[in-house]
Amino acid sequence: MFQLEKPPVPQVKITSTPTVKSKFLYRGVFMAMAIISIWAMSLALLIYIDISQCKFWMLLPLIFWQTFLYTGLFITAHDAMHGVVFPKNIQVNHFIGSLCLFLYGLLSYPKLLKKHWLHHHNPASETDPDFHNGKHKNFFAWYFHFMKGYWSWRQIITLMTIYNLLTYFLHLPEDNLTYFWVIPSILSSLQLFYFGTFLPHSEPVEGYKDHHRSQTISRPIWWSFITCYHFGYHHEHHEYPNIPWWQLPEIYQMLKPKV
């Protein structure tokens, strides 16, 4: 059992480290290395399988599997932003976070780190970079508004260039790259937005209940893991941002009112 301490919200710096009990210091980096390794091996295998005789519906389980691993990359980077991937060495912690975002889609770790802590300081407000602007409240409008803040034409052009280099010079199968690299990354962004922003931060009919302006989407633990690495326990994450994703179910159980 870990000690449940509510840390002060750190300033937006790449040097801050939340408190994590020593017995968990290496579990975070082990989880991170496992996710990165499985994602890389899975992608390498899927790119070279022969899909010429496969119907699209037969490929769906593989696409969803790779989407799940892409989401794991981002969740790992998210934990790194809170300093809990490897709190013993904050430089290594942030390197892992940077690597995950680079593999995910050439995203800038310092840029996302700053925006993420703005989100924690001012959730669901005008200064929250993840929140809608008061006009784009439905799912797709909010999603595109959200994505504009994190993607640039430079990233998109660079990814398109890499795609074409891989197909024309390394002769990697174009369909495989599309099905197992391009589509999963897009689906993952939808998954992360839906479970990490839209559901937990949409304003309830009765209004927000506290300053976190977030709510928990309660599900069985196995389903919570499959849907988005327990990101549905979102109020718990905002209440205790120094807790890694794999401990959020325990926090939820501890905070849940006893009947």
Side-chain angles (χ1 to χ4, degrees):
M1 182 67 67
F2 55 90
Q3 185 177 358
L4 189 61
E5 298 177 357
K6 190 186 297 185
V9 179
Q11 298 298 313
V12 183
K13 294 180 181 179
I14 280 197
T15 55
S16 59
T17 308
T19 303
V20 178
K21 202 167 182 178
S22 59
K23 64 183 286 190
F24 294 108
L25 290 179
Y26 296 98
R27 187 178 298 184
V29 73
F30 172 79
M31 292 280 194
M33 291 299 99
I35 289 172
I36 294 171
S37 300
I38 295 171
W39 171 85
M41 290 187 292
S42 176
L43 181 60
L45 289 172
L46 290 174
I47 283 178
Y48 285 103
I49 65 172
D50 182 9
I51 62 173
S52 59
Q53 304 302 317
C54 297
K55 302 291 185 181
F56 180 74
W57 64 267
M58 298 170 64
L59 300 175
L60 285 178
L62 297 176
I63 293 173
F64 290 146
W65 162 250
Q66 199 63 20
T67 299
F68 178 74
L69 295 176
Y70 261 101
T71 299
L73 286 179
F74 193 93
I75 293 294
T76 300
H78 166 265
D79 270 10
M81 295 176 198
H82 290 280
V84 296
V85 168
F86 193 42
K88 191 172 182 179
N89 188 315
I90 203 64
Q91 283 73 32
V92 172
N93 174 88
H94 290 312
F95 171 77
I96 294 172
S98 299
L99 175 62
C100 285
L101 288 185
F102 178 81
L103 296 174
Y104 185 85
L106 307 182
L107 294 170
S108 167
Y109 182 79
K111 177 181 176 180
L112 265 70
L113 177 65
K114 181 177 180 180
K115 288 193 171 188
H116 188 64
W117 278 111
L118 284 174
H119 164 70
H120 272 268
H121 278 292
N122 310 283
S125 69
E126 292 181 358
T127 53
D128 178 0
D130 295 349
F131 201 53
H132 59 72
N133 60 0
K135 299 178 181 178
H136 303 91
K137 293 183 179 182
N138 70 71
F139 175 81
F140 287 105
W142 189 351
Y143 170 75
F144 288 115
H145 175 74
F146 172 87
M147 292 300 291
K148 282 194 303 182
Y150 290 95
W151 284 93
S152 67
W153 282 110
R154 177 188 294 179
Q155 289 168 270
I156 295 171
I157 292 171
T158 302
L159 286 169
M160 291 174 63
T161 302
I162 293 173
Y163 180 92
N164 283 286
L165 289 174
L166 292 174
T167 55
Y168 289 110
F169 291 97
L170 297 183
H171 306 292
L172 296 184
E174 187 172 344
D175 287 344
N176 293 50
L177 282 173
T178 300
Y179 289 143
F180 306 126
W181 184 43
V182 178
I183 293 178
S185 65
I186 296 172
L187 292 178
S188 173
S189 70
L190 287 163
Q191 180 183 11
L192 286 159
F193 172 76
Y194 182 71
F195 290 103
T197 298
F198 182 76
L199 282 185
H201 288 294
S202 291
E203 184 172 4
V205 176
E206 66 276 13
Y208 296 111
K209 295 180 179 179
D210 60 26
H211 67 284
H212 293 309
R213 296 190 168 195
S214 64
Q215 53 189 325
T216 285
I217 313 303
S218 180
R219 294 180 177 84
I221 289 179
W222 66 272
W223 186 239
S224 170
F225 171 62
I226 292 173
T227 52
C228 203
Y229 294 78
H230 304 308
F231 225 36
Y233 298 123
H234 212 78
H235 184 270
E236 289 73 16
H237 167 61
H238 274 261
E239 187 77 0
Y240 297 99
N242 65 323
I243 299 302
W245 67 264
W246 37 272
Q247 287 180 262
L248 287 173
E250 191 172 351
I251 294 290
Y252 171 73
Q253 293 297 328
M254 291 177 65
L255 298 181
K256 188 167 66 172
K258 306 300 180 183
V259 179

